Amino acid sequence: MTDIRRPALRYTADITVEDIDGLAGFIERRVVLLREAAARPGGEEALIGEALTHTVTALTGSAREVLGTLAGHAAEAAGSASGPAGADATGGEDREDREVTAFDEEFEELMARLSRLWRYLLTAAEAWSHLPDYDVARWRLDGHLDAEHEARARWLEAGDAW
């Protein structure tokens, strides 16, 4: 992670690829130290380090995938919002309401998944959270759906697509 501290993480919607990669890099640096301290190659410390590396890699990949899907949905929603409005002869308003509801449910499910993945990464780093290079303001539990509407309002005010 860079020397510049970012604002404190408040909501799942605030998690970025930089946060995920930064936390994964922090863990990986600790794993390297663990492996170097191993009494012998292939010993218990080395095996633990290898397992942790695989776990963090999988969590990081999944979290990046969820963020990519969320970004795709946000771009799609922004495109739909700027498209033609109104009902058509096939019950367009009802179909549009169902699509919005399905989008909201999928969005909520993705946010819940991202929150879980984030919590798993935090759990992997918890033993080292007292170290000075652990970003305590940024790498902490998020508020998830407690106030996603506030995060959405902040993004929209900043001119970003939700």
Side-chain angles (χ1 to χ4, degrees):
M1 182 148 201
T2 63
D3 291 334
I4 299 170
R5 298 291 178 163
R6 298 181 55 225
L9 175 68
R10 292 181 59 195
Y11 307 113
T12 304
D14 294 330
I15 297 171
T16 65
V17 171
E18 181 182 356
D19 294 320
I20 292 166
D21 290 346
L23 186 55
F26 172 83
I27 295 167
E28 186 55 39
R29 288 189 298 277
R30 298 304 159 298
V31 170
V32 167
L33 295 174
L34 179 66
R35 287 180 176 165
E36 289 174 355
R40 59 185 169 79
E44 190 169 336
E45 293 90 351
L47 292 174
I48 291 169
E50 185 175 331
L52 186 56
T53 296
H54 289 300
T55 300
V56 169
T57 300
L59 291 171
T60 301
S62 293
R64 287 173 132 267
E65 180 182 321
V66 170
L67 280 175
T69 302
L70 285 168
H73 285 323
E76 184 179 306
S80 296
S82 64
D88 60 20
T90 61
E93 283 184 16
D94 290 340
R95 186 178 68 246
E96 188 175 300
D97 288 344
R98 284 191 303 272
E99 288 173 358
V100 167
T101 301
F103 174 81
D104 288 344
E105 289 172 2
E106 183 178 2
F107 180 81
E108 186 173 323
E109 183 180 316
L110 287 167
M111 293 300 281
R113 184 171 178 218
L114 179 60
S115 182
R116 280 191 308 275
L117 291 165
W118 182 248
R119 289 168 190 267
Y120 295 152
L121 281 168
L122 289 171
T123 300
E126 187 175 7
W128 301 296
S129 63
H130 64 284
L131 296 175
D133 58 336
Y134 186 89
D135 189 345
V136 294
R138 203 63 199 165
W139 299 338
R140 62 181 187 83
L141 293 179
D142 55 291
H144 186 43
L145 296 175
D146 297 342
E148 290 296 338
H149 60 283
E150 290 178 21
R152 181 184 303 214
R154 271 197 334 275
W155 282 27
L156 295 174
E157 284 175 14
D160 295 331
W162 181 253

